[in-house]
Protein backbone atom coordinates (compact mmCIF):
# COMPACT_ATOMS: atom_id res chain seq x y z
CA UNK A 1 0.00 0.00 0.00
CA UNK A 2 1.44 3.37 -0.95
CA UNK A 3 1.90 6.31 1.40
CA UNK A 4 -0.97 8.36 -0.10
CA UNK A 5 -3.44 5.50 0.28
CA UNK A 6 -2.41 5.00 3.89
CA UNK A 7 -2.89 8.72 4.55
CA UNK A 8 -6.30 8.62 2.84
CA UNK A 9 -7.36 5.80 5.17
CA UNK A 10 -6.20 7.69 8.27
CA UNK A 11 -7.92 10.85 7.00
CA UNK A 12 -11.15 8.87 6.53
CA UNK A 13 -11.02 7.59 10.11
CA UNK A 14 -10.18 11.04 11.47
CA UNK A 15 -13.07 12.62 9.54
CA UNK A 16 -15.48 10.16 11.17
CA UNK A 17 -14.13 11.09 14.60
CA UNK A 18 -14.76 14.75 13.72
CA UNK A 19 -18.37 13.88 12.90
CA UNK A 20 -18.60 11.96 16.17
CA UNK A 21 -17.75 15.11 18.12
CA UNK A 22 -20.83 16.80 16.71
CA UNK A 23 -23.27 13.90 16.76
CA UNK A 24 -22.40 10.39 17.83
CA UNK A 25 -24.74 7.68 16.54
CA UNK A 26 -24.76 3.89 16.52
CA UNK A 27 -24.34 3.96 12.74
CA UNK A 28 -21.29 6.20 13.02
CA UNK A 29 -19.88 3.96 15.75
CA UNK A 30 -20.29 0.91 13.52
CA UNK A 31 -18.73 2.72 10.56
CA UNK A 32 -15.74 3.76 12.66
CA UNK A 33 -15.35 0.28 14.11
CA UNK A 34 -15.39 -1.26 10.63
CA UNK A 35 -13.04 1.35 9.17
CA UNK A 36 -10.52 0.78 11.97
CA UNK A 37 -10.68 -2.99 11.55
CA UNK A 38 -10.29 -2.79 7.76
CA UNK A 39 -7.41 -0.35 8.07
CA UNK A 40 -5.66 -2.78 10.40
CA UNK A 41 -6.37 -5.81 8.22
CA UNK A 42 -5.07 -4.14 5.07
CA UNK A 43 -1.95 -2.82 6.76
CA UNK A 44 -2.92 0.83 6.35
CA UNK A 45 -2.36 1.25 10.09
CA UNK A 46 -0.24 -0.83 12.42
CA UNK A 47 -1.46 -2.62 15.54
CA UNK A 48 -0.49 0.29 17.83
CA UNK A 49 -2.50 2.74 15.71
CA UNK A 50 -5.40 0.30 15.57
CA UNK A 51 -5.36 -0.02 19.37
CA UNK A 52 -5.20 3.79 19.70
CA UNK A 53 -8.26 4.25 17.46
CA UNK A 54 -10.20 1.49 19.24
CA UNK A 55 -9.48 3.07 22.62
CA UNK A 56 -10.49 6.47 21.27
CA UNK A 57 -13.72 4.99 19.95
CA UNK A 58 -14.33 3.37 23.34
CA UNK A 59 -14.02 6.77 25.00
CA UNK A 60 -16.58 8.21 22.57
CA UNK A 61 -18.99 5.37 23.36
CA UNK A 62 -18.52 5.84 27.12
CA UNK A 63 -18.98 9.60 26.88
CA UNK A 64 -22.12 9.17 24.77
CA UNK A 65 -23.52 6.73 27.31
CA UNK A 66 -22.79 9.08 30.19
CA UNK A 67 -24.48 11.96 28.38
CA UNK A 68 -27.52 9.78 27.71
CA UNK A 69 -27.75 8.78 31.38
CA UNK A 70 -27.43 12.41 32.44
CA UNK A 71 -30.12 13.53 29.97
CA UNK A 72 -32.55 10.69 30.57
CA UNK A 73 -31.84 9.56 34.08
CA UNK A 74 -31.23 6.03 35.17
CA UNK A 75 -33.88 3.46 34.44
CA UNK A 76 -34.15 1.07 37.35
Amino acid sequence: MNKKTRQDVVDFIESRFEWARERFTDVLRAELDTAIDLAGLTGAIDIAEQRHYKERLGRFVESDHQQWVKANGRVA
Side-chain angles (χ1 to χ4, degrees):
M1 183 174 296
N2 66 43
K3 189 174 183 177
K4 181 179 179 338
T5 302
R6 288 175 194 246
Q7 188 58 51
D8 288 345
V9 169
V10 169
D11 290 346
F12 177 84
I13 293 169
E14 288 294 336
S15 73
R16 294 317 183 263
F17 274 113
E18 287 299 318
W19 285 3
R21 284 191 182 114
E22 295 171 19
R23 184 164 186 216
F24 192 72
T25 65
D26 287 336
V27 171
L28 185 55
R29 184 206 49 81
E31 187 174 325
L32 263 165
D33 197 39
T34 301
I36 294 165
D37 287 342
L38 285 173
L41 288 170
T42 60
I45 59 175
D46 63 24
I47 192 73
E49 290 171 305
Q50 189 174 3
R51 186 177 312 114
H52 164 76
Y53 284 126
K54 289 287 189 166
E55 289 170 354
R56 192 170 162 192
L57 179 56
R59 289 190 300 270
F60 268 89
V61 170
E62 181 62 31
S63 175
D64 184 63
H65 176 72
Q66 288 175 357
Q67 289 175 8
W68 184 91
V69 168
K70 207 180 274 187
N72 297 292
R74 281 217 156 151
V75 178

